[in-house]
Amino acid sequence: MPKQRITKEMVVDAAFEIARNSGMEQVMVKNIADKIGCSVQPIYSYCKNMDGLKQDVIEQVNRFIQEYVVSHINKDDLFRSTGKSYIQFAQEEPHLFRIFILHQREGISSLNDLYQSEANPHTAEIIAKELSISVERAKQLHLNMLIYTIGIGTIFSVTTPGISTDEIYTQQEVAYEAFLKQALGNEE
């Protein structure tokens, strides 16, 4: 039987699957080698250190969540459905959600920095147009909902047996209504 050629893509994909099923703490050379069905040597040849491999996994998680959210949003209710899709993701993929939320972000020293690095730059413009508010108010509304959704999604992803999705969505809607009222009230 010919020897299987192990590629970096195979290593990263195996590490991603391990992280997805068991969490980033289980992404270890031995576990990756077992998943691929090889010795640890090919893994070491692609991974100078585990930090680099884990960064590759984080990048794959970020791509995965972006694709997930895009495929789960309602184009007619973009803003609300985006938040709900993140909560749904937290329920369906709790390990990946925690990796997405908890990975180190460099160069962030303010909430504005976080917003600039994490949010689509056109979202505030879309919200402003839909709600007839200023782009600045729309950014604040969006930032408030991002912070709230990250928080409640994190709670959702770490509770066992788990809070019901209805309760989470209801609480998210209450927060949206409060933040919206604040944004609309500040426009007057």
Side-chain angles (χ1 to χ4, degrees):
M1 181 161 136
K3 217 173 165 182
Q4 179 184 12
R5 176 160 154 56
I6 306 301
T7 65
K8 181 176 182 181
E9 182 178 315
M10 291 169 67
V11 171
V12 173
D13 287 347
F16 173 83
E17 286 303 318
I18 291 166
R20 184 178 189 182
N21 295 321
S22 306
M24 188 67 96
E25 51 283 344
Q26 293 302 312
V27 175
M28 297 179 271
V29 172
K30 182 187 178 326
N31 293 346
I32 296 167
D34 289 347
K35 179 112 179 123
I36 295 174
C38 67
S39 71
V40 297
Q41 188 54 44
I43 312 304
Y44 283 118
S45 69
Y46 289 113
C47 306
K48 303 292 183 239
N49 62 53
M50 287 305 288
D51 289 339
L53 175 61
K54 287 181 179 183
Q55 187 57 45
D56 290 340
V57 171
I58 289 167
E59 289 171 15
Q60 191 163 340
V61 168
N62 289 340
R63 285 189 302 274
F64 186 89
I65 195 169
Q66 286 174 354
E67 291 170 11
Y68 180 95
V69 169
V70 166
S71 71
H72 286 79
I73 57 174
N74 175 350
K75 305 276 191 242
D76 296 327
D77 191 8
L78 188 65
F79 187 56
R80 278 187 175 115
S81 67
T82 299
K84 284 185 176 182
S85 68
Y86 277 97
I87 297 301
Q88 186 176 350
F89 185 81
Q91 178 186 30
E92 293 176 10
E93 300 284 354
H95 294 297
L96 295 183
F97 185 81
R98 287 191 295 271
I99 292 166
F100 171 71
I101 295 303
L102 299 176
H103 76 270
Q104 186 69 36
R105 289 163 171 83
E106 301 293 328
I108 305 295
S109 60
S110 70
L111 290 175
N112 188 53
D113 290 346
L114 180 67
Y115 184 82
Q116 296 300 321
S117 74
E118 298 291 320
N120 180 319
H122 302 293
T123 303
E125 294 166 9
I126 293 166
I127 295 167
K129 185 177 178 182
E130 283 182 11
L131 299 176
S132 299
I133 60 175
S134 71
V135 171
E136 282 308 308
R137 288 290 160 208
K139 281 182 183 177
Q140 188 61 52
L141 173 62
H142 191 208
L143 176 61
N144 287 342
M145 285 308 298
L146 282 173
I147 292 167
Y148 191 85
T149 300
I150 288 167
I152 203 163
T154 302
I155 291 166
F156 194 43
S157 73
V158 297
T159 56
T160 305
I163 301 166
S164 79
T165 53
D166 288 341
E167 184 177 0
I168 295 292
Y169 289 148
T170 298
Q171 193 61 40
Q172 189 179 37
E173 186 63 25
V174 167
Y176 171 75
E177 292 297 331
F179 292 138
L180 178 60
K181 183 178 180 183
Q182 178 186 31
L184 294 174
N186 288 334
E187 281 297 305
E188 297 170 353

